[in-house]
Amino acid sequence: MCGIVGYIGDKEVLPILIDGLKRLEYRGYDSAGVAILGEDLKVVKTQGRIKALEERLKDEDLKGNLGVGHTRWATHGAPNNVNAHPHYSESKNIVVVHNGIIENYLELKKMLVKEGHDFRSETDTEVIAYLIEEFYEGDLLEAVKKAYEMLEGSYAIAVMSKDQKDCFVVVRKDSPLIVGLGKGENFIASDIPAILTYTREIIILENGDIVKITKDDVSVWDANGNSVKRPVQQVQWNVEDAKKGGFKHFMLKEIFDEPTVIKEAMRGRIKNGSFEIPELEQISVDYLKNIRQIFFVACGTAYHAGVVGKYLAEKYLKLPVQVEVASEFRYRDPMIDGRTLLFVISQSGETTDTLAALRLGKKKGAKTIGIVNVVGSSVAREVDNVVYVHAGPEIAVASTKAYVAQVEVVALVLLYFAKKLGLLSVENEKALVSEFFALPEKAQAILDRSNEIAEFASTTKTIEETFYIGRNLDYALSLEGALKLKEISYVHAEGYPAGELKHGPLALVTPQSLIIAIDTYAPLRKKTLSNIKEVKARQGRVLAIATKGYSEIEEVADKTFYVPQTIDDLSPVISVIPLQLIAYYIAESRGLDIDKPRNLAKSVTVE
Ligand code: M6R
C-alpha cells in the first residue's frame, strides 16, 4: 500500500503535493518523492518520511503547475533512495508513480533487459516506466493504453511525460484511485484526505479505468476501451474521518480492509490452479525431505498465527512441530540443528524478542523463513528467505489484518511445501485453491453483518470476564480472540481449549461470564457443543461462532453468529473476523481509546 497524489492547474504544485503526501502518510512511510514538470521533468525523492523529503527539497528549486507525489510502502526492493518513487523511464522522458504490485514484472524486466535496457532500481514500478517509453510515439495516453495491456496484477499508476505539459494519465486496476475536480485544476489521489482541503467533488474510478487529466478536463476510458462518464460525488467527511476511510477508528477500517488483504496475500502465489511461492522456489525437494522438525516462533498475535501453523504443518507435512513464544524460546536451549526449519512471524519485523529468537535459531543451524509484513525490516533482512504478507501498513495497535494475512500466507507456504513433497493430492489442491479464491467474498459477507455483532456487544456492559473456547484450529482462534478483547477493552479474557475448561476454569463461570465458543471445526463440532452445554449448566452466557448450516448450536447458545462454510483448514482466515469485531464493539461500547490502548505500543522493540 502506497500513497499517490497529483495536481494539474495554475497553482504552484509542490506545496499541494507535500500537503497531500502528509495526509497519505498512513498508507506508507518508508520513502517519498515528487516529480514536477516545469522547464524540465524533475524528480526528487528520498528514503524516510515526508519530513525527510521536505529537508531534501530545501536544496532544490522545483517550480511547475503539474506534478505527482508518492509515499511508499515497499513491496519490491528495500526502502532506499533508489527504490523510492517516482521512477523515470530510461531516457528520463517519462515518470511513473505506482501503488500495488505488478505480478509479471520479472518477465517484463527480462524481456526489456534482453532488448538492451538498463534498470536502476529493484522495483516492479520501473518496468512500467520503461514499457510506456517503449510505446511512446508522442501520445502519452496511447502509450499507457498499450503498456496497460501487458501489465498483470493490482495497481494504480500516474504517468507524466516531459513532452506533454498539459496532462497526466492515470490507471486504476484493483488499487484505489480517485480524481478530485476543481475549477481550472484537477487532482488525483489514492485516498480522499489528500485532496479534501482543495475540493469535495470527486470521481471514484472503477477497475480498469484509464484517465487523461488536463486542468479543464477529465476523460475516462473503461477496461474495454470505451469512453465513459463516471458519476461525480460530494464528500461529506472531515479530514480526520477521511483518513480512516470514514470509519471511526483505524482498527475498524483495518478489519474492513480484510477482503482486499486476503486477495493481496494470495496474489502471485496460486498459478494455473496450483500453489507456487516464487520467494521459496530455490528450496529444493531434497532439502524439504531432509527436514526433521519445524518451529514457529513469534510474539502476541503473530504467535497465534504460528499456533494455526502448527496444526496445519503437522497435518500436511507430517512432521513434529513446535510453536514458541519468542521471549521464552530465546532464553532456552532448544534442540535445533541443520535439519530444523524455523518460521519467524512478525508484522513489524522489528520485535526484539522475535529477532533474538531468529538469531538463536540461525546460530544453531536452522533454516529460517520469515513471514513478515514490513518490507526491509530487520526480520526480513536477517532470515534466509522472506515471504511478505502484503497486508499494508497497520496503524491500530491491535493487530487484525496482519493476522489474517499471516495465517493465509502460512497456509499457502505449507501447502506449497506439501505439494513439492508429493503430500498433497491433485484433488485436494484443486479444492483448496478454489476455496482460497472464495475467501475474500466470504470475508465480505461476514463484514456485511457486522451490525449483528455490534448489537450483541451493546448488551455486554455487565460482563466481568470472558472465556474463548474452541478445539483444534478453533482453539488457535480462541487465543487470538481473547488477546484482542483484553488489549482494547481491558476486560479479562482467556483463550482455552474447549475440552480443558472443566479442569479448572469452569469454577469461574457465573452469570457475569461471557463465553465465546468457536465451533467451526467440523470434525470436533459435537465435542465443542457438549462443552457449551457444560457452560450453560453454570448459567454462563454464550455467544457461538459457528459454520452456516449448523443450526443445532442455536438451541444451546444465547446468540449464534454464523460464518460461511469453508474448508476447515482455511476457516481461521475468515472466522477470526467476528472475534475482531466483537473486541472492537465491546471496547467501543465502553468508550475506550481503541487505536492506542493503554500501556501498549505498536512495535515492541524492548524486552
Ligand atoms: O510486529 P510483530 O508481529 O512482531 O508484533 C508482535 C506483537 O507485539 C503484536 O502482535 C501484539 O501482540 C499486538 N498488539 C497484538 O494485537
Side-chain angles (χ1 to χ4, degrees):
M1 196 155 105
C2 304
I4 293 176
V5 61
Y7 172 82
I8 184 164
D10 294 327
K11 296 189 182 119
E12 264 315 317
V13 66
L14 185 60
I16 296 174
L17 297 184
I18 295 295
D19 181 54
L21 288 179
K22 281 183 181 164
R23 294 175 198 278
L24 289 178
E25 216 170 6
Y26 71 93
R27 296 181 63 87
Y29 35 74
D30 57 47
S31 53
V34 289
I36 290 179
L37 184 51
E39 290 291 291
D40 204 356
L41 178 56
K42 221 167 164 195
V43 170
V44 177
K45 56 185 184 174
T46 184
Q47 184 174 350
R49 290 185 172 249
I50 317 297
K51 263 203 169 122
L53 178 65
E54 284 185 291
E55 275 305 306
R56 174 78 187 69
L57 283 164
K58 282 184 182 158
D59 308 330
E60 303 284 341
D61 184 28
L62 275 192
K63 295 242 177 301
N65 314 115
L66 165 59
V68 291
H70 188 270
T71 175
R72 181 170 185 243
W73 171 260
T75 60
H76 292 71
N80 58 30
N81 289 346
V82 179
N83 291 333
H85 296 216
H87 286 279
Y88 278 125
S89 61
E90 198 167 17
S91 69
K92 300 199 169 177
N93 283 339
I94 306 274
V95 143
V96 173
V97 288
H98 162 220
N99 167 30
I101 294 173
I102 305 298
E103 280 170 22
N104 60 337
Y105 88 102
L106 272 179
E107 282 161 57
L108 295 170
K109 193 167 180 172
K110 272 185 204 154
M111 177 192 91
L112 290 161
V113 167
K114 223 170 167 185
E115 288 171 10
H117 298 283
D118 242 351
F119 284 85
R120 306 178 184 100
S121 79
E122 302 160 290
T123 63
D124 48 347
T125 310
E126 213 180 2
V127 170
I128 310 172
Y130 279 48
L131 211 54
I132 293 171
E133 182 158 276
E134 279 282 285
F135 291 120
Y136 188 73
E137 286 172 354
D139 185 339
L140 185 61
L141 177 67
E142 283 313 307
V144 173
K145 280 184 178 173
K146 284 183 185 150
Y148 170 68
E149 282 168 24
M150 298 183 73
L151 299 173
E152 289 168 19
S154 69
Y155 52 88
I157 56 173
V159 191
M160 286 160 45
S161 160
K162 192 177 176 174
D163 301 334
Q164 284 186 250
K165 298 203 168 166
D166 63 339
C167 74
F168 51 63
V169 175
V170 303
V171 180
R172 184 234 154 121
K173 184 169 174 269
D174 288 324
S175 291
L177 199 67
I178 57 159
V179 178
L181 306 175
K183 293 219 173 348
E185 59 182 6
N186 286 310
F187 306 79
I188 53 150
S190 299
D191 206 351
I192 296 167
I195 54 176
L196 215 47
T197 326
Y198 309 100
T199 178
R200 288 185 169 264
E201 289 205 337
I202 62 154
I203 295 174
I204 298 177
L205 297 175
E206 300 277 336
N207 268 336
D209 282 355
I210 299 186
V211 191
K212 181 176 174 182
I213 301 168
T214 65
K215 63 184 202 150
D216 298 309
D217 186 55
V218 174
S219 311
V220 186
W221 289 266
D222 70 9
N224 301 316
N226 302 316
S227 162
V228 284
K229 283 251 168 290
R230 298 284 179 224
V232 177
Q233 305 187 14
Q234 284 289 334
V235 182
Q236 309 295 350
W237 302 332
N238 64 34
V239 175
E240 266 320 294
D241 288 349
K243 263 193 207 164
K244 296 171 193 150
F247 291 97
K248 193 168 170 193
H249 295 97
F250 277 110
M251 181 179 174
L252 193 60
K253 175 184 184 291
E254 285 161 7
I255 296 172
F256 273 79
D257 278 347
E258 285 172 350
T260 310
V261 166
I262 295 171
K263 255 189 238 163
E264 290 306 314
M266 74 176 103
R267 199 174 281 287
R269 291 170 177 162
I270 298 177
K271 283 192 191 136
N272 306 320
S274 187
F275 297 113
E276 295 291 341
I277 308 288
E279 301 90 324
L280 303 178
E281 242 166 38
Q282 68 279 34
I283 296 186
S284 68
V285 174
D286 283 347
Y287 168 77
L288 290 174
K289 280 189 174 151
N290 196 36
I291 296 174
R292 282 293 160 268
Q293 60 168 349
I294 294 178
F295 275 84
F296 287 91
V297 182
C299 298
T301 287
Y303 165 78
H304 296 151
V307 180
V308 172
K310 174 181 163 70
Y311 283 96
L312 297 184
E314 278 172 356
K315 175 170 174 183
Y316 287 101
L317 301 182
K318 314 274 177 233
L319 284 168
V321 186
Q322 299 192 48
V323 52
E324 297 257 3
V325 167
S327 55
E328 283 300 308
F329 178 90
R330 65 179 290 193
Y331 291 118
R332 285 184 29 236
D333 190 9
M335 304 298 287
I336 284 180
D337 56 17
R339 298 177 81 182
T340 304
L341 178 60
L342 175 70
F343 283 94
V344 177
I345 309 177
S346 178
Q347 188 284 128
S348 63
E350 300 296 347
T351 305
T352 299
D353 287 320
T354 306
L355 257 174
L358 160 63
R359 288 172 187 155
L360 176 66
K362 278 184 93 170
K363 203 165 130 203
K364 284 178 167 270
K367 185 173 188 66
T368 54
I369 295 181
I371 308 291
V372 180
N373 192 30
V374 179
V375 173
S377 57
S378 304
V379 171
R381 280 184 275 115
E382 292 192 29
V383 284
D384 297 314
N385 299 84
V386 60
V387 185
Y388 289 115
V389 301
H390 298 314
E394 199 178 51
I395 312 286
V397 165
S399 183
T400 53
K401 63 177 182 171
Y403 172 85
V404 164
Q406 285 160 353
V407 166
E408 185 182 353
V409 171
V410 164
L412 285 164
V413 168
L414 295 174
L415 290 167
Y416 169 65
F417 285 164
K419 178 193 96 169
K420 270 191 143 177
L421 286 165
L423 295 171
L424 188 66
S425 71
V426 175
E427 304 82 75
N428 238 348
E429 185 176 30
K430 215 172 141 198
L432 282 157
V433 162
S434 94
E435 206 43 44
F436 264 100
F437 288 136
L439 289 176
E441 215 169 286
K442 292 184 178 179
Q444 189 57 54
I446 294 174
L447 292 169
D448 290 345
R449 288 167 31 242
S450 61
N451 61 321
E452 287 178 40
I453 303 264
E455 267 164 41
F456 180 81
S458 67
T459 68
T460 61
K461 294 232 168 75
T462 56
I463 294 298
E464 286 164 8
E465 67 184 337
T466 308
F467 289 99
Y468 286 71
I469 58 169
R471 288 170 180 261
N472 198 283
L473 290 168
D474 288 337
Y475 164 58
L477 281 175
S478 76
L479 297 173
E480 177 55 11
L483 177 64
K484 271 315 71 97
L485 185 70
K486 68 185 115 180
E487 67 181 326
I488 59 165
S489 73
Y490 319 143
V491 174
H492 176 237
E494 271 188 72
Y496 235 80
E500 189 66 9
L501 207 59
K502 57 182 154 306
H503 297 285
L506 203 52
L508 292 172
V509 173
T510 68
Q512 276 69 50
S513 312
L514 172 64
I515 287 78
I516 300 189
I518 308 147
D519 201 1
T520 71
Y521 186 71
L524 298 174
R525 210 175 250 168
K526 295 253 178 307
K527 306 257 178 218
T528 303
L529 190 65
S530 303
N531 301 130
I532 300 176
K533 286 179 184 162
E534 289 160 10
V535 170
K536 277 313 302 170
R538 275 89 191 163
Q539 277 98 48
R541 198 164 159 214
V542 176
L543 165 67
I545 310 294
T547 311
K548 197 165 179 215
Y550 184 38
S551 46
E552 233 175 299
I553 205 159
E554 269 181 57
E555 289 160 30
V556 189
D558 296 282
K559 159 92 189 154
T560 305
F561 183 87
Y562 289 110
V563 292
Q565 176 103 41
T566 180
I567 291 178
D568 286 320
D569 297 332
L570 304 185
S571 173
V573 178
I574 55 169
S575 299
V576 74
I577 301 173
L579 304 180
Q580 296 169 341
L581 289 171
I582 191 83
Y584 174 82
Y585 286 118
I586 289 181
E588 207 240 351
S589 70
R590 291 171 188 230
L592 297 169
D593 188 357
I594 294 181
D595 286 334
K596 294 194 185 95
R598 70 184 181 205
N599 308 340
L600 300 179
K602 183 67 188 161
S603 187
V604 185
T605 51
V606 291
E607 273 197 54

